[in-house]
Amino acid sequence: MKLNLSTTRIKALIKKEVIQIKRDKSALLIAFALPVFLTLVFGYAISIDTNKIRIAIVNEDAQSSSSADLISFFNNSKFVEVKLITDSHEEAEREILGQKLSATLIIPADFNKRLEKEKIAAVYLATDGSEPNTASFSTNYVRAIMNLYVEYQNSKHGVKLDPQIEITQRVWYNEALKADHLLNIGSIGFVLSIAGTLLTALVVARDWERGSMEYLISSPVTTHELILGKILPYLALGLGSFFISFACIMIFFHTPFKGSIIIFTLIGFFYLILTTGLGLLISTSAKSQFVASQAAILISMVPTIMLSGLIYDIETMPQIMRIITNIVPAKYLIDAMRTLFLMGNDWSILLPDILGIILISVAIYFGVLRKTKKSLE
Amino acid sequence: MSETLVTVSNLNKTFLGSNSKALDDINFEVKEGEFFCLLGPDAAGKTTLLRIIASILKYDSGAVEILNKKIPQEISEIQHLIGYAPQKFGLYEDLTVLENLDLNADLRGIAGAEKDEQITKLLAKTNLKNFTDRLAGNLSGGMKQKLALACTLIAKPKILLLDEVSVGVDPISRQDLIGIVKDLIGHGTAVIWSTTYLDEAEQHANKMLLINEGRQVFFGNPQDFIARTAGRNFLLKAKNSASNRRENLNQILQSEGIEDAVLQGDQIRILNRNDDVTKFTSDYEITKIPSTIEDSFLEVLNLKLPTFSKLANRYDKKESEKKIVIEAQGLTKKFGEFTATNNVNFQIESGKIFGFLGPNGAGKSTTFKMLCGLLKPTSGIAHVSGISLLTSANEARQKIGYMAQKFSLYGELSTLQNLQFFCGVYSLNKAETKMAIAEVVESLDLENFLNTNAFNLPLGIKQRLALGCALLHKPEVLFLDEPTSGVDPATRREFWFHINALAQKGVTVMVTTHFMDEAEYCDTVAIIYQGLKIAEDNPQKLKDIIRSEKLANPSFQDVFVDLIKRQDVEKIL
């Protein structure tokens, strides 16, 4: 295929787009103010203190006084409300669903024995993994109360308990829950979907609506020039959004970042190429701003929220949904972002993610080239 | 001999999913230096044809050649020689005049000194020199079209394809546009000019192509076309000067052998099937007049004129008592430093048609909006039926019908749903709604379109529907803002037939238009310019103002242009 690109024409198209972006402040607002807003929403959604955590305690070691001691610590806590104390797992199971309890604390039968012999107090905590925010609250609160208990045992009874009281956390539905930073890291994926897809879809559809596109395609501008003239400015704008969300996450939430900034930027860039392409594909098919915006939300943002692992864990989905998530681009991005933030440059995870993004991009651009014809039909 | 630039032979085109041909065996050629007019009623296929020549639309069979290159296969070799301005021209409204020109120069590979020279020249030609920094979206309609034309001209095209660029543009800007284009023709460019203004073809075209429902009706010289109805045009002046001109018109329309009849000031202009008009001699003084392209257009398309307006028949017999229905007193509207409407006064009696004319940007729409209560006057009073629309809007709005520019229908709703919606807006009850819709549908022949989305309706039907929507609640007052913009002569005839009939039933009509012949249908015409009312009288008397030995029988266009030029001179003095 002969590309036959004219830099003059591409430059002219980009210049036009830049002027339009500067005049119509809404694009700038979407690109720069929205990321800040979204990162804050996603970040604080996880950190906002909720009411008391409601828990059940299954006491398998009901005869010992030390377990009763421990329970009294929970009863006295400002942060935890003990709704049920029982020795039956079945009852706890029922209640956790019926009363919507957030966690079950299990005091094992050998609690007292191990405390005395091994100087270790082992409890189990079961949290509801489908609610990662609450699960992590519960874990932190229980850990804090257990620390108080150890301190009390140390000072009051002179019993030198080893501080490593083990909380064996068993997450029921979401065993891969890693940290409470997951959500605000994932917000980058959401931001890039909006900045890329929605913005591009809207501006191209606007050109169709106002008739500018009919005029452009009757001029010597080629299809490739048209595509580049639209993609490049919004790619740049998207990169702006990308760094702004990154900065917000680092500044407001002190999220650790273990990977390489260069790889991070590169993946973000690949992903933006994908989302702007998707925006272009949507608007060349829709041709009206209203339809284009609806389609962009439906095709890009909804899967990003629901099916990318941003909020709901993919592992816990039914198999059919798990398969579908493979074509949700945000899945790869969010996975890669979380890896880079929390684990570092783990290529065994990053490579498949990058490959996924590239493959979907190729498919999208194939569609864009087929759809963008210099014809009205 | 001049070179042939465009050859179209046996061209056929059917749109996907349509069972009728959009273009059916079209054959013509366009030569160097021709002003080639493309004419036809709405949905005839004019835009389709232009798009095919501009090679942004494929065709099924036949051949199109431009400068001996096959279209669309070899388009890239000659694309820079074609200038195409689509109907909804794609100016970037958020770019300034200069930025738009700049962009187009870059896209068409015009650079350096040539670019500067072209831009300077075009700015001068279009009188846009002083507006280079204004956003295209803030230009008046006429200026927008001039800028659009300038953008298409920047690469000095050999062939210019202009799709209804003069629609919605005032007569003065139209003259400017045509002037620019004719200047190019002198330099060898060929122009294909599609239009619904037939007078443009009559005055300027060397060649014309008339198509109807995709079929070629006439290709040749406009003079030959006009000659088809020669000798059968007459001007009738009622001997009884007290007789009602609208009633006379109705009578004439219903008599045998009449192909067309319209009001022209206090006279009636007719096209007869033959040259025998003796049956009118008892009541009228008859003058034979030359035929026009419009006469032949109406005859050749064999369009049936309505003879009875069921739409007006929905109204009861009018009250004989005359009263002032619409009144503007010292009406003024300022936007910051800019005075859009400056101390405008007029009164409109019931049952009268009041024409409100002026160039684009003169303040017509602003005045209209104040009368309808959509804008608050800076000072002065706007009353409808003695009520201010600003203070008791709901009460007064129930009495008015408003048909906006571009028709303000809901494109995604069907014809029926639009009608139902507007019934709801005017709070008709269930029984009233049922009856109003049935009556409007019947009287405007909308049955076949009830389930079509308004967006997909042909322009003429859209206009009918918009009129229907405005009349559902039988308003006493009708505001029409450029109701016939872009609509072909036949549809306009039908439209005015209804308006005339409504006026006879006592409905008061205020109308803006850029079709100067429509001013002739009005009882009173006011001309507004730069916010000021510069003239107000009946069309006949306005013509008398400018009548001279040289111009014994001025058209209303002459009146308009002359009065505005006089105002400009006065201003300079």
Side-chain angles (χ1 to χ4, degrees):
Chain A
M1 186 165 33
K2 217 176 97 208
L3 275 176
N4 195 16
L5 295 174
S6 146
T7 40
T8 327
R9 287 200 290 262
I10 297 175
K11 266 193 224 158
L13 287 173
I14 293 177
K15 190 172 147 197
K16 175 219 81 178
E17 210 70 44
V18 170
I19 297 173
Q20 284 186 303
I21 291 170
K22 278 198 284 192
R23 298 246 160 86
D24 178 13
K25 297 283 184 288
S26 64
L28 287 178
L29 221 60
I30 290 180
F32 298 136
L34 200 65
V36 179
F37 174 73
L38 283 175
T39 323
L40 292 181
V41 166
F42 275 94
Y44 284 114
I46 207 167
S47 319
I48 287 168
D49 238 324
T50 54
N51 295 323
K52 283 187 172 180
I53 298 288
R54 292 137 57 98
I55 66 165
I57 295 177
V58 179
N59 191 358
E60 294 175 353
D61 193 17
Q63 288 81 11
S64 77
S65 62
S66 35
S67 67
D69 271 355
L70 181 63
I71 289 171
S72 71
F73 266 81
F74 279 92
N75 275 331
N76 292 331
S77 166
K78 277 191 293 187
F79 305 107
V80 172
E81 190 180 352
V82 180
K83 297 295 280 188
L84 176 77
I85 300 169
T86 172
D87 56 3
S88 148
H89 280 275
E90 289 75 26
E91 197 185 347
E93 202 101 6
R94 269 200 311 277
E95 290 300 309
I96 205 167
L97 297 172
Q99 291 201 47
K100 295 193 178 143
L101 303 185
S102 310
T104 310
L105 183 79
I106 300 152
I107 302 172
D110 58 355
F111 177 76
N112 192 41
K113 212 194 263 173
R114 290 187 75 189
L115 197 72
E116 284 177 355
K117 289 208 173 132
E118 301 170 38
K119 305 282 184 236
I120 289 171
V123 290
Y124 297 89
L125 182 72
T127 52
D128 182 357
S130 65
E131 292 191 75
N133 304 354
T134 322
S136 66
F137 283 148
S138 319
T139 312
N140 289 339
Y141 288 151
V142 169
R143 187 181 283 133
I145 293 169
M146 288 303 284
N147 283 339
L148 284 175
Y149 175 69
V150 171
E151 239 173 75
Y152 167 80
Q153 289 287 352
N154 286 349
S155 61
K156 190 86 180 178
H157 297 285
V159 185
K160 193 105 190 337
L161 276 183
D162 251 326
Q164 62 265 53
I165 288 183
E166 291 172 2
I167 299 172
T168 310
Q169 184 185 346
R170 203 188 102 220
V171 179
W172 285 352
Y173 309 107
N174 181 4
E175 307 211 4
L177 189 67
K178 287 182 200 122
D180 48 2
H181 297 298
L182 287 183
L183 204 61
N184 65 48
I185 296 171
S187 71
I188 293 187
F190 192 64
V191 165
L192 293 194
S193 296
I194 292 186
T197 310
L198 187 61
L199 219 50
T200 317
L202 281 178
V203 292
V204 179
R206 182 183 63 193
D207 276 13
W208 276 111
E209 243 174 34
R210 294 194 184 163
S212 327
M213 203 50 106
E214 182 176 347
Y215 178 68
L216 273 185
I217 60 176
S218 73
S219 78
V221 174
T222 69
T223 312
H224 298 101
E225 288 163 3
L226 262 183
I227 293 174
L228 282 172
K230 281 291 178 198
I231 294 280
L232 293 177
Y234 290 96
L235 210 52
L237 214 57
L239 270 180
S241 321
F242 178 66
F243 286 119
I244 287 177
S245 3
F246 179 57
C248 283
I249 291 170
M250 301 299 275
I251 294 166
F252 291 114
F253 305 109
H254 312 290
T255 309
F257 185 79
K258 294 185 177 156
S260 139
I261 296 271
I262 296 174
I263 297 169
F264 175 76
T265 310
L266 217 59
I267 293 177
F269 186 67
F270 282 151
Y271 187 70
L272 271 168
I273 295 180
L274 185 152
T275 50
T276 39
L278 187 60
L280 208 56
L281 186 63
I282 289 170
S283 56
T284 37
S285 317
K287 295 182 184 177
S288 94
Q289 289 197 70
F290 175 74
V291 179
S293 66
Q294 298 292 307
I297 288 170
L298 213 67
I299 294 173
S300 151
M301 278 153 65
V302 171
T304 301
I305 297 172
M306 310 292 287
L307 296 176
S308 69
L310 171 64
I311 294 173
Y312 304 108
D313 197 59
I314 292 171
E315 302 300 318
T316 62
M317 292 177 188
Q319 195 186 4
I320 175 94
M321 297 309 278
R322 280 211 300 272
I323 294 169
I324 292 173
T325 59
N326 288 324
I327 57 162
V328 175
K331 169 190 163 169
Y332 301 104
L333 177 85
I334 289 172
D335 193 44
M337 293 288 122
R338 284 176 177 170
T339 308
L340 281 166
F341 267 96
L342 301 171
M343 292 166 73
N345 304 336
D346 183 339
W347 289 103
S348 68
I349 298 176
L350 292 180
L351 272 181
D353 286 339
I354 294 174
L355 198 68
I357 293 174
I358 290 176
L359 280 179
I360 297 177
S361 297
V362 169
I364 287 174
Y365 277 89
F366 184 71
V368 170
L369 281 173
R370 287 201 53 176
K371 271 271 171 195
T372 318
K373 267 186 257 150
K374 289 196 46 171
S375 168
L376 289 172
E377 274 175 301
Chain B
M1 216 193 87
S2 54
E3 196 190 344
T4 302
L5 300 184
V6 182
T7 316
V8 172
S9 35
N10 309 105
L11 180 67
N12 284 288
K13 166 81 186 171
T14 307
F15 282 104
L16 213 67
S18 159
N19 41 23
S20 60
K21 283 187 168 183
L23 291 174
D24 188 355
D25 199 24
I26 304 289
N27 292 279
F28 67 93
E29 52 183 38
V30 183
K31 294 205 169 78
E32 200 178 271
E34 267 181 358
F35 192 112
F36 185 97
C37 268
L38 179 55
L39 306 172
D42 306 318
K46 302 193 290 290
T47 298
T48 307
L49 182 55
L50 283 176
R51 284 176 171 172
I52 287 174
I53 299 173
S55 81
I56 55 171
L57 202 62
K58 292 189 184 117
Y59 53 92
D60 304 337
S61 64
V64 179
E65 278 186 23
I66 300 179
L67 297 159
N68 299 317
K69 301 285 175 202
K70 285 192 176 64
I71 298 298
Q73 296 87 341
E74 299 171 326
I75 178 69
S76 54
E77 294 173 45
I78 44 148
Q79 191 145 49
H80 57 285
L81 297 174
I82 304 174
Y84 168 57
Q87 205 168 8
K88 193 167 71 175
F89 186 85
L91 282 177
Y92 284 98
E93 305 223 324
D94 35 13
L95 260 55
T96 65
V97 170
L98 195 60
E99 284 162 353
N100 265 295
L101 287 168
D102 209 40
L103 170 70
N104 278 284
D106 289 343
L107 290 182
R108 288 159 190 283
I110 308 295
E114 193 192 1
K115 172 166 147 184
D116 296 338
E117 189 192 320
Q118 268 298 79
I119 290 182
T120 319
K121 202 175 96 192
L122 287 168
L123 283 173
K125 259 189 193 171
T126 49
N127 283 324
L128 288 168
K129 258 180 304 196
N130 300 326
F131 303 98
T132 49
D133 292 331
R134 190 176 286 192
L135 293 185
N138 295 341
L139 295 175
S140 72
M143 284 159 110
K144 264 186 205 163
Q145 292 301 63
K146 280 190 225 169
L147 176 59
L149 186 59
C151 286
T152 354
L153 294 180
I154 207 141
K156 300 180 183 162
K158 259 321 249 173
I159 296 146
L160 208 49
L161 310 169
L162 305 175
D163 196 0
E164 300 196 348
V165 289
S166 58
V167 163
V169 172
D170 66 73
I172 292 173
S173 300
R174 268 170 65 202
Q175 283 188 342
D176 292 348
L177 282 169
I178 291 173
I180 298 167
V181 170
K182 288 191 95 173
D183 183 43
L184 291 166
I185 289 166
H187 294 85
T189 302
V191 178
I192 304 185
W193 176 279
S194 122
T195 185
T196 51
Y197 291 93
L198 297 179
D199 58 325
E200 291 172 352
E202 187 161 334
Q203 290 167 25
H204 307 287
N206 316 101
K207 275 283 169 60
M208 60 172 272
L209 173 69
L210 172 61
I211 52 177
N212 184 29
E213 292 175 344
R215 276 186 298 277
Q216 183 159 339
V217 179
F218 179 87
F219 166 58
N221 292 322
Q223 291 72 25
D224 296 341
F225 186 64
I226 296 168
R228 291 180 168 212
T229 45
R232 296 187 274 130
N233 294 276
F234 305 91
L235 214 48
L236 307 187
K237 188 172 188 177
K239 286 177 177 163
N240 172 11
S241 59
S243 64
N244 181 314
R245 59 184 196 134
R246 292 213 171 85
E247 269 160 31
N248 292 341
L249 176 68
N250 264 349
Q251 270 170 16
I252 290 173
L253 274 171
Q254 277 161 41
S255 50
E256 253 318 283
I258 286 287
E259 300 209 321
D260 182 30
V262 289
L263 292 173
Q264 190 160 330
D266 56 357
Q267 307 180 64
I268 294 168
R269 185 185 197 288
I270 63 162
L271 170 64
N272 208 29
R273 196 164 297 152
N274 51 43
D275 57 7
D276 174 24
V277 282
T278 41
K279 61 188 159 191
F280 296 122
T281 41
S282 55
D283 294 329
Y284 298 96
E285 289 169 24
I286 300 174
T287 326
K288 203 167 186 172
I289 50 168
S291 75
T292 65
I293 213 163
E294 191 161 326
D295 296 317
S296 300
F297 182 92
L298 288 167
E299 185 174 271
V300 102
L301 298 183
N302 194 19
L303 297 157
K304 262 235 174 97
L305 287 173
T307 49
F308 176 69
S309 172
K310 288 179 186 161
L311 198 62
N313 201 42
R314 296 174 64 224
Y315 282 82
D316 303 328
K317 190 93 187 91
K318 72 168 179 181
E319 307 155 41
S320 51
E321 180 202 357
K322 292 270 179 211
K323 55 178 184 191
I324 304 297
V325 178
I326 303 176
E327 188 174 22
Q329 273 179 37
L331 205 54
T332 302
K333 179 72 193 177
K334 289 183 180 168
F335 297 104
E337 290 293 294
F338 174 69
T339 309
T341 303
N342 193 354
N343 194 23
V344 168
N345 300 290
F346 56 80
Q347 293 183 330
I348 311 174
E349 268 180 27
S350 59
K352 295 288 180 194
I353 301 178
F354 185 84
F356 203 52
L357 271 52
N360 299 113
K364 294 188 305 280
S365 289
T366 309
T367 311
F368 238 71
K369 283 178 186 155
M370 284 191 284
L371 284 166
C372 300
L374 302 172
L375 258 183
K376 195 181 156 135
T378 309
S379 61
I381 296 168
H383 277 173
V384 173
S385 297
I387 310 169
S388 160
L389 272 153
L390 213 57
T391 50
S392 38
N394 286 341
E395 192 187 342
R397 282 203 188 120
Q398 207 60 30
K399 296 186 176 176
I400 66 170
Y402 180 60
M403 185 170 156
Q405 243 174 26
K406 317 261 172 349
F407 307 154
S408 60
L409 296 168
Y410 287 88
E412 274 86 21
L413 296 188
S414 70
T415 300
L416 182 62
Q417 288 163 336
N418 266 294
L419 288 167
Q420 285 166 339
F421 171 76
F422 282 101
C423 281
V425 166
Y426 289 110
S427 55
L428 300 187
N429 66 32
K430 226 174 178 180
E432 289 168 337
T433 298
K434 207 174 156 195
M435 186 140 124
I437 292 181
E439 286 173 352
V440 165
V441 166
E442 200 210 338
S443 47
L444 290 171
D445 271 328
L446 292 170
E447 265 107 314
N448 295 331
F449 303 96
L450 279 183
N451 296 316
T452 312
N453 282 1
F455 192 75
N456 298 324
L457 290 173
L459 187 67
I461 307 296
K462 247 185 227 174
Q463 185 217 31
R464 263 195 236 162
L465 174 58
L467 179 64
C469 287
L471 287 172
L472 284 164
H473 58 299
K474 297 189 203 170
E476 298 162 21
V477 182
L478 199 50
F479 286 101
L480 308 168
D481 196 1
E482 290 190 33
T484 50
S485 182
V487 176
D488 67 68
T491 315
R492 293 200 288 130
R493 285 284 192 288
E494 183 194 286
F495 179 83
W496 276 99
F497 179 77
H498 289 302
I499 300 302
N500 271 326
L502 286 165
Q504 279 180 283
K505 290 279 187 167
V507 177
T508 312
V509 181
M510 180 163 174
V511 58
T512 69
T513 179
H514 286 313
F515 286 98
M516 292 301 125
D517 56 336
E518 292 181 351
E520 309 261 13
Y521 310 159
C522 300
D523 297 290
T524 310
V525 174
I527 297 178
I528 183 165
Y529 181 47
Q530 295 175 337
L532 284 167
K533 189 181 82 183
I534 59 170
E536 180 189 349
D537 215 323
N538 73 45
Q540 205 60 33
K541 290 209 174 113
L542 287 173
K543 281 186 190 171
D544 291 341
I545 300 177
I546 71 152
R547 207 184 298 275
S548 65
E549 264 173 51
K550 249 174 46 190
L551 198 64
N553 207 354
S555 71
F556 207 86
Q557 169 136 350
D558 299 327
V559 174
F560 184 86
V561 174
D562 196 302
L563 289 178
I564 283 183
K565 285 192 175 149
R566 282 186 200 189
Q567 182 72 16
D568 280 340
V569 171
E570 246 171 65
K571 230 181 147 186
I572 294 163
L573 296 177

